[in-house]
Amino acid sequence: MSPFRGRVGPIARFLAESFLFGIAYTQAPLYFSNQNQYFLHGLAYAGSGALDVDWLANTADPTPLFSTLVTAIAWCGQAWLFYAVYVLLLGVYFHALLDLGQLVAGPKDPRLFRFTLAALLVLSHSALARYVSYRIVGQDYPWYLQAGLAGQYVLGPVLQPSTFGVFLLWSIVVFCQERPFLAVFLAVLAATWHSTYLLAAGVLTLTYILMFMSYGQARRALFMGLLACVLVAPAVLYAVVTFGPATSETFAEARHILVHQRIPHHAIVDRWCDGIALLQIAWIALAITLIRGSRLGAVLGSLFLAGILLTVLQLLTASDALALLFPWRFSVLLIPAATAVVFSKVITLGLRSVPSWNLARRHCLEAADLVIIAAALLGGAFIMERKMGYRGGGEETALLTFVKDTAKRGDLYFVPVNRPNPNPSRGSISADFRPPPPSDPNSRVIPFELQRFRLATGAPIFVDSKSIPYKDVEVLEWHRRVETCLKTFDLLERKGFAEARAELRECGATHLVAPAGMEIHAPGFRDVYGDRYYRVYRLTPDER
């Protein structure tokens, strides 16, 4: 008898359901948003273009395991594998929420319950629901049923390291299914893929240990703690050795730059704590209240309480170090878990409130579930095929094509940057289904998509304001480069071409990318490309 007999069915079903959920959810095309940072090291290792000499590609890699995955897929030359890996992770997420819902549900008709919960989860996560919500009310409200606070999330538009947070959700589920050692392994696995999950994995593991100690199983709890320490040691050692402080002063200055200049929308509570955030917190509290007294309620409640206490501590101390640990990031697990809990309670109440679910009623509910799932699938496929989601303006497409076709090894492009807006606001959420804003050809502010410059062209650049390093001395160098870029473009706007050329020469730049409205007629600048939005000037060798 084949050892795989009896397993092919569940595996095939998992793959099929993951694929269908992925179609409804949709993905953005490569390379989008955070991929431009997190794919850079991996593509540079794979020999893509001249990225191996790009400054940022030679900084400390914050996600080496993910970069290894990117390198392996790049070497295969099959870009569709990036989408396939994300579909598998979407499947883990989807099935974790379904299993979590079944932990909440009673024994009444489990198959009908699971099918109905699947329909609600597919709909609430679907591109169709998000697209319709934005077009009707001007806001992507379904997003807030899955996304956490501070513009952070597990799932997003594309494959990236944060997506491996699905293993934390799976960890919670298997712990409640009385598989504690697997739960510890999955928690550490998520933290190994993305170190920003170390705090959440630590809190979850500590919760598991304390709960087993309360059950009188101290020996088992001790083994769980030892297993966690052994498994997490390589990730912690890498983080300490690679990103430890050069000096206390540089470490503090780098933290301040990250918190207050580069990612305040993720790191400063005042930037994200608005009415929507408070409603999300209330949603979590409602879910925990509905399952109080259960093992799942204890786990989610512990994570919720730890997040609140650490957030209050950060507010009281104004600690940049604690802000960069993102204790509110626990919400990226709590929000989708809460959604599954509330949906499950509503479905269970509905099934129990009807005296007899006869065949006709059952068929009606199943038909409604099928219609919901079919609509989400067709809508997701249509939106993806028509490129109606995750859109940029496309103003940079011709520029990127030109650079890709003409760039040579040794070229270094100097592109415009803009300083992040320090004004209080919700900050960034998942770039979603909003139409791109109109572009001003005379503006020097980089449109959203120009962050693709490195990966789309294979050409190294001096700096951009989106993609950043994390080692303290490299953060300071990134900040210096951004300030140099801002200073150079200020000089160009004031017609200080000689001074600007000196700055560019000092930076080692061979080409300057400028807005179309910035015409340069000066020695040392040769106009080699122009369109409605951009110009490219080559710095002539005799003047560099």
Side-chain angles (χ1 to χ4, degrees), residues 163-180:
T163 315
F164 289 85
V166 299
F167 291 118
L168 290 172
L169 281 172
W170 193 8
S171 171
I172 293 171
V173 171
V174 299
F175 177 79
C176 294
Q177 293 172 337
E178 301 185 356
R179 292 181 286 175

Side-chain angles (χ1 to χ4, degrees), residues 2 17 30 162 190 225 267 269 303-306 317 327 358 412 486 516 538 540:
S2 169
E17 291 177 350
L30 297 173
S162 65
V269 175
L303 198 60
F304 186 47
L305 180 61
T317 61
N358 59 30
L412 177 65
L486 293 168
R538 185 169 67 85
T540 55

Side-chain angles (χ1 to χ4, degrees), residues 263-499:
I263 52 173
H265 53 288
H266 292 322
I268 298 178
V269 175
D270 289 346
R271 290 291 297 268
W272 55 260
C273 190
D274 57 7
I276 290 177
L278 294 176
L279 287 174
Q280 288 183 290
I281 294 170
W283 184 250
I284 297 170
L286 170 63
I288 293 173
T289 301
L290 290 174
I291 55 173
R292 62 188 182 278
S294 67
R295 180 178 289 192
L296 178 61
V299 173
L300 297 184
S302 298
L303 198 60
F304 186 47
L305 180 61
I308 289 176
L309 292 177
L310 289 173
T311 299
V312 170
L313 180 62
Q314 195 282 323
L315 287 171
L316 292 175
T317 61
S319 167
D320 289 341
L322 187 52
L324 289 175
L325 289 176
F326 309 118
W328 39 85
R329 196 179 186 114
F330 298 171
S331 62
V332 305
L333 308 175
L334 292 168
I335 289 291
T339 297
V341 167
V342 175
F343 284 179
S344 298
K345 283 294 185 180
V346 170
I347 295 168
T348 302
L349 182 62
L351 292 177
R352 288 177 177 172
S353 65
V354 178
S356 174
W357 277 90
N358 59 30
L359 194 59
R361 287 172 175 165
R362 182 187 182 92
H363 285 170
C364 285
L365 182 55
E366 288 177 340
D369 293 339
L370 279 173
V371 169
I372 290 172
I373 293 173
L377 290 174
L378 292 173
F382 183 79
I383 288 170
M384 193 156 33
E385 192 275 331
R386 294 296 181 93
K387 297 180 173 57
M388 296 163 63
Y390 308 116
R391 292 183 297 173
E395 294 87 355
E396 78 297 335
T397 302
L399 165 70
L400 298 181
T401 300
F402 168 78
V403 174
K404 182 178 181 180
D405 291 342
T406 61
K408 301 180 180 63
R409 179 165 287 273
D411 289 348
L412 177 65
Y413 282 79
F414 196 92
V415 301
V417 303
N418 57 291
R419 188 179 284 110
N421 182 6
N423 295 326
S425 72
R426 162 161 280 275
S428 65
I429 62 169
S430 168
D432 51 18
F433 301 95
R434 294 168 292 181
S439 296
D440 178 3
N442 295 314
S443 172
R444 87 169 197 208
V445 174
I446 298 182
F448 185 73
E449 291 299 322
L450 198 56
Q451 62 187 294
R452 296 191 297 132
F453 194 98
R454 286 184 177 99
L455 301 193
T457 66
I461 64 175
F462 180 67
V463 75
D464 76 328
S465 57
K466 168 68 175 175
S467 300
I468 55 175
Y470 287 96
K471 186 173 177 60
D472 55 1
V473 292
E474 293 169 348
V475 171
L476 299 186
E477 172 62 14
W478 169 82
H479 184 259
R480 184 195 70 79
R481 287 174 175 245
V482 169
E483 293 299 318
T484 297
C485 195
L486 293 168
K487 174 185 175 182
T488 302
F489 275 93
D490 284 338
L491 289 170
L492 291 169
E493 287 181 344
R494 298 199 307 267
K495 310 298 184 184
F497 299 130
E499 296 90 338

Side-chain angles (χ1 to χ4, degrees), residues 21 24 118-130 142 372-373 375-376:
F21 183 71
L120 291 181
L121 289 175
V122 168
L123 179 63
S124 62
H125 287 73
S126 69
L128 177 64
R130 297 177 63 190
I372 290 172
I373 293 173

Side-chain angles (χ1 to χ4, degrees), residues 10-27 80-95 98 122 125-127 373-374 376-381 384:
I11 292 173
R13 190 173 74 174
F14 169 81
L15 293 175
E17 291 177 350
S18 300
F19 176 75
L20 293 176
F21 183 71
I23 292 295
Y25 192 87
T26 75
Q27 296 185 46
W80 63 268
L81 287 173
F82 290 120
Y83 299 104
V85 171
Y86 194 27
V87 165
L88 293 177
L89 293 173
L90 285 170
V92 172
Y93 172 93
F94 180 54
H95 286 86
L98 287 176
V122 168
H125 287 73
S126 69
I373 293 173
L377 290 174
L378 292 173
M384 193 156 33

